[in-house]
Amino acid sequence: QVQLVESGGGVVQAGGSLRLSCAASGRTFNTYTMAWFRQAPGKERELVAVVRWAGGITAYTDSVKGRFTISRDNAKNTLSLQMNTLKPEDTAVYYCAADRFPGRFYKRDWVEYGYWGQGTQVTVSS
């Protein structure tokens, strides 16, 4: 059974930092593009950051560039998101996701991802 389990969410003041982690089991994802999405109440799920399966190629949504860093450890089958200088508008449920298929270049649309974690709440207070 494939599982993605996020951890590291919580409540932090504006300007603070959090580090999200995602542990994968049941399948090796070292040939899958992986990503972090988020969804705030009343808003659509949006791509936050993505890392390709090879070459360390990353991409970020404009609002987090320079503040968030995505990384992966293929040996440990884990994905991380370091979030610095957090803002109240970063408040959302954050999801770890893996591409439906191995070996693809990264996709921005959430429907392209076939494996999801349960989500972890991040709340940034002003």
Side-chain angles (χ1 to χ4, degrees):
Q1 182 180 1
V2 176
Q3 276 193 313
L4 299 178
V5 180
E6 302 100 336
S7 61
V11 180
V12 64
Q13 287 190 332
S17 298
L18 283 174
R19 184 176 181 86
L20 304 183
S21 296
C22 173
S25 61
R27 179 186 290 270
T28 299
F29 284 101
N30 59 0
T31 59
Y32 288 72
T33 288
M34 297 193 72
W36 288 97
F37 285 79
R38 67 185 179 187
Q39 189 165 19
K43 295 189 176 181
E44 293 189 355
R45 188 168 298 191
E46 68 165 343
L47 177 67
V48 175
V50 59
V51 57
R52 196 182 174 205
W53 63 277
I57 297 173
T58 60
Y60 299 87
T61 192
D62 287 345
S63 63
V64 307
K65 285 180 181 177
R67 300 189 296 123
F68 290 12
T69 302
I70 188 171
S71 60
R72 64 189 297 166
D73 186 334
N74 285 337
K76 296 181 178 179
N77 224 18
T78 59
L79 180 73
S80 297
L81 184 69
Q82 178 66 42
M83 305 186 295
N84 297 328
T85 319
L86 283 159
K87 303 177 180 180
E89 51 263 44
D90 294 318
T91 295
V93 177
Y94 284 70
Y95 298 90
C96 168
D99 198 339
R100 288 188 182 278
F101 304 105
R104 299 200 298 180
F105 205 78
Y106 68 79
K107 305 293 183 181
R108 292 188 174 275
D109 194 336
W110 67 269
V111 298
E112 300 287 349
Y113 292 78
Y115 304 92
W116 292 87
Q118 81 287 354
T120 186
Q121 177 70 46
V122 171
T123 302
V124 184
S125 61
S126 58

